[in-house]
Amino acid sequence: MRRDREYFAEWLSRTLAERDIAGGEVARAVGVNDSAISRWKNGKASPGLDSVMALAEFLGADPVGLAVTAGL
């Protein structure tokens, strides 16, 4: 599980940086607080399925692929 979090953290950090999207913007779109996004980006926590689906929609990513990336 730890490796999944690290992989997801790297993916999320890289994706947001490439698209110049702030964590607060993602938090509002996904319906979580800013600290949740920070924990995801630092590999301290993983998003749940509802958050992954909302994140996939916000980023235009494949929801199944993103769920796998997040270790769900």
Side-chain angles (χ1 to χ4, degrees):
M1 184 72 166
R2 177 71 180 146
R3 185 168 285 279
D4 292 335
R5 280 194 304 223
E6 291 171 358
Y7 184 75
F8 178 78
E10 290 173 13
W11 176 87
L12 182 60
S13 295
R14 183 179 61 251
T15 299
L16 298 183
E18 288 172 354
R19 297 180 185 196
D20 196 28
I21 300 172
E25 185 178 351
V26 177
R28 285 186 294 281
V30 174
V32 298
N33 59 36
D34 291 358
S35 65
I37 302 299
S38 179
R39 288 191 310 272
W40 298 349
K41 288 173 61 178
N42 292 322
K44 304 269 187 231
S46 298
L49 185 57
D50 290 341
S51 294
V52 167
M53 295 298 112
L55 184 61
E57 183 175 336
F58 176 70
L59 295 173
D62 171 45
V64 174
L66 190 54
V68 169
T69 301
L72 299 176

